Amino acid sequence: MVPLIASFAYAVYNPAYQGLPDMMERIVRTTEVVAVIGAYPPTLVLGIPLLLYFRGRVRPSLANCAMVGAFVATVPWMCLVVFSGPDQASIDDHITYQNGTMTWWGFLEALQWLGETAVFGIAAGGLFWLVAAAGIKIQPVSDTASGKVFE
């Protein structure tokens, strides 16, 4: 649910137009696109493996969940910015290119866009912490409880 909520928040912040006259329909369509392309695939490819890797190694604090959320949200888009060029203008047409290389203005636009993405990732990580990790009680393992798995 967290990627869907983050997608909805992004759609409210930046709804696509695409010729749709009604604002609510613009928000719903933007939410669908952002969730299907920009939220769930990075969550499945990066977020779940990171959750499984960090479980038991790192305490699930608000700061840790927010950092992982920013990483999961930003890395795929960072790869698109770095590995796409001016010939792939449909992917990143808002980034300015000149003579086949990104201009300084295009670089600043890309940083702004990645920063906005990171902010929504931080919010999604915070929401994940609130939903999944905030109620975890850390209990010390006693010497006699080593064989009792389900207590």
Side-chain angles (χ1 to χ4, degrees), residues 26-76:
R26 290 171 57 187
I27 290 172
V28 168
R29 299 293 180 202
T30 305
T31 301
E32 291 173 355
V33 170
V34 171
V36 170
I37 295 172
Y40 281 107
T43 300
L44 294 173
V45 173
L46 293 173
I48 292 174
L50 285 172
L51 174 70
L52 296 175
Y53 177 76
F54 285 133
R55 181 181 286 167
R57 291 186 172 105
V58 177
R59 192 172 68 86
S61 67
L62 177 60
N64 289 339
C65 290
M67 282 191 307
V68 171
F71 177 81
V72 168
T74 308
V75 164

Side-chain angles (χ1 to χ4, degrees), residues 40 47 60 66 95 113 124-125 134 144-146:
Y40 281 107
I95 298 173
W113 180 50
T144 59
S146 61

Side-chain angles (χ1 to χ4, degrees), residues 34-132:
V34 171
V36 170
I37 295 172
Y40 281 107
T43 300
L44 294 173
V45 173
L46 293 173
I48 292 174
L50 285 172
L51 174 70
L52 296 175
Y53 177 76
F54 285 133
R55 181 181 286 167
R57 291 186 172 105
V58 177
R59 192 172 68 86
S61 67
L62 177 60
N64 289 339
C65 290
M67 282 191 307
V68 171
F71 177 81
V72 168
T74 308
V75 164
W77 300 109
M78 194 179 319
C79 291
L80 276 177
V81 168
V82 169
F83 296 119
S84 67
D87 56 334
Q88 296 173 336
S90 63
I91 294 174
D92 52 5
D93 58 353
H94 63 282
I95 298 173
T96 309
Y97 287 92
Q98 184 177 20
N99 297 331
T101 58
M102 187 183 298
T103 63
W104 282 106
W105 184 253
F107 179 72
L108 291 176
E109 285 181 336
L111 283 179
Q112 178 188 1
W113 180 50
L114 291 172
E116 289 174 2
T117 304
V119 167
F120 282 96
I122 289 168
L127 183 60
F128 173 80
W129 174 80
L130 189 64
V131 170

